[in-house]
Every structure is written in C-alpha cells, then in structure tokens.
Amino acid sequence: MLPLIAGNWKMNTDRASAVALAKGVAGGAALHKQVELLVCPPAVYLSSVAEALAGSGVALGAQNMYHEANGAFTGELSAAMLKDVGCQYVILGHSERRHILGETDAAVNKKTLASLAAGLVPIVCVGELLAEREAGQTAAVIRRQFEGSLAGISAEEIEKIVIAYEPVWAIGTGKVATPEQAEEVHADLRKLLIERYNERFAATVRILYGGSVKASNAGELLAQPNINGALVGGASLKAEEFLGIAAAG
Ligand code: PGA
C-alpha cells in the first residue's frame, strides 16, 4: 500500500494563500511518487484548490461533513456536495471536532457510513487525551472510539477506510509521540481490525499517525511497521515542509 501523507489545513489560509500552497504542493508532487499526497483545505476554498491541483495527482479532501444527503440542515455540507467539488477524502471525528465541537462516536459513525455510501474515503480519527494516557486508559479509549466510530462497517467497506491515530496531547503542541508510543497504539488498532475482520482485510487499512509531525521526525515514525502515513496540521501549511514529510515516506 502507498503511504498517505495528508495535510489538514484546519481553519487557516485565505483564498490566495490556499491556492499558492496547493500549487506549491502540486509542483513538487512528481518527485514523491512513493507516497500519495492529500490536502484538506477549508471547505470554502475546495473548488479553488481543486483547480490549482488539476493534473498533479495530489488528492483533495474536506475536514468534515454532515451525514444527511440534503435538506434543512443550515450550515452543513453533504458527502455528495464534497464529491461534486472534487473531493476524494473527508476527515471525520478529528479531535478538535470531538473535544471543541462535541462530536460523539455515534455522530462520527453516521458520517463514516454516509461518506462510504457516497464514494468518499473517510479518514476516521481516534486518540486519547493526556489525562487518559496518564491514567493508563489509552488502549480502552482507542477501543471505544474504534468500536463506536466504525460500528456496522462491512469487511468490503473497511478496505476503503483510513484510520488516523492522533494523541490529543501531541496535536499542535510540538510534543510528538515517540515512534514506540505511536507504534504501540497502531499495532493495537491493527489487532482490533484483525479481531473484527481478518488478517487480509486488516492489512489493507492505512493507519496514519498525526500530532506534531514535521519533516525532521517523519522518517522514524513512518518507518514503524503499522504506521502507513501521516495526518499533518501545522507543518502542512508550508509546501516545502509538507513535501519534506512526503520525502520521508
Ligand atoms: P499538528 O496537527 O500536526 O499541528 O499537531 C495534526 C492534526 O490535528 O491533524
């Protein structure tokens, strides 16, 4: 499987800088064919970024969506709308949505099923808080989020899903998990996949690490057997740094 290097731009950039960043990533993409590159700009810039990426092979994703197909849901966007403007991926259940905006595993599960039904690849995020890690609850939290967010996903569907492990204490803090800490949780996630499906299906699922990934630490993280890519926040806002992470893949 090709490692996936995904940039989560969060609520950053404006239209001009989003287009410039996309062009910067697109311009360097040909040198990094050993990974799949993905950028996830703010939703209002998806169309502009899609144009800037055209023909580059860099994939486009959204940062969130709603599970309903259409109707009276003011302010929300459906999976079909995201596909319509060129998205192939959507990030779901990011810790900022879980912890700042109150998104539950049940909501993430509905969105995951709806994205699959519409043909968008969901990147389903899980990760423990610092207090949960310190209380020795990491494995239990990951299991609960895995079971809740990925309930009712068939074996055929799981092959299309990407999972991202992002310890909340490592996001935007500069405190990256050690390769061993990350690999331990990634291996647990792989075991959960094997338990629920089987070895063959579990082996097809890309599990990304996220949390303060940068060009200088990406190599040792991506060298771990169960780390199949990175979900990058801050360091994805500079094309050169993001492509430096791709170079480590
Ligand atoms: P960070 O964010 O790389 O800035 O820590 C990662 C993420 O939230 O996806």
Side-chain angles (χ1 to χ4, degrees):
M1 76 177 78
L2 272 191
L4 177 62
I5 307 297
N8 173 11
W9 297 359
K10 307 193 180 181
M11 199 171 75
N12 293 301
T13 69
D14 55 20
R15 192 154 67 95
S17 60
V19 167
L21 179 52
K23 285 189 177 154
V25 174
L31 297 173
H32 303 290
K33 295 271 188 223
Q34 82 292 3
V35 298
E36 183 179 353
L37 289 170
L38 164 67
V39 295
C40 302
V44 286
Y45 304 134
L46 283 167
S47 292
S48 307
V49 168
E51 273 175 40
L53 295 176
S56 69
V58 178
L60 182 68
Q63 300 173 13
N64 180 38
M65 53 165 264
Y66 194 57
H67 67 272
E68 294 285 356
N70 50 53
F73 304 102
T74 301
E76 296 295 326
L77 300 170
S78 71
M81 290 170 183
L82 297 177
K83 273 208 84 169
D84 198 19
V85 293
C87 289
Q88 293 116 287
Y89 288 87
V90 61
I91 299 169
L92 296 177
H94 188 277
S95 76
E96 285 144 22
R97 298 211 57 85
R98 289 178 185 268
H99 298 294
I100 302 173
L101 295 150
E103 207 160 286
T104 61
D105 281 323
V108 177
N109 185 233
K110 281 189 197 158
K111 293 178 181 200
T112 302
L113 292 165
S115 69
L116 286 165
L120 271 185
V121 177
I123 299 176
V124 179
C125 304
V126 297
E128 81 287 2
L129 297 163
L130 182 59
E132 292 167 335
R133 171 162 286 265
E134 286 175 348
Q137 294 167 349
T138 300
V141 169
I142 298 302
R143 175 180 281 272
R144 189 186 71 224
Q145 292 179 339
F146 174 89
E147 285 172 355
S149 301
L150 297 176
I153 307 287
S154 70
E156 290 68 34
E157 286 169 331
I158 201 71
E159 291 191 290
K160 300 187 191 110
I161 283 185
V162 177
I163 297 175
Y165 167 56
E166 299 204 304
V168 179
W169 48 271
I171 296 178
T173 58
K175 265 193 228 163
V176 63
T178 64
E180 296 72 30
Q181 280 174 323
E183 173 60 21
E184 188 182 7
V185 177
H186 282 239
D188 279 354
L189 281 162
R190 192 80 64 195
K191 268 189 228 139
L192 289 169
L193 288 164
I194 294 170
E195 250 174 51
R196 170 129 40 113
Y197 304 98
N198 61 34
E199 295 261 1
R200 188 175 72 74
F201 283 112
T204 64
V205 178
R206 285 186 290 192
I207 308 177
L208 314 184
Y209 169 78
S212 299
V213 176
K214 38 188 200 270
S216 60
N217 61 25
E220 54 180 10
L221 288 160
L222 293 169
Q224 300 301 311
N226 286 293
I227 300 184
N228 315 117
L231 182 52
V232 185
S236 71
L237 294 171
K238 290 203 177 99
E240 202 183 322
E241 182 72 15
F242 186 60
L243 291 169
I245 295 168

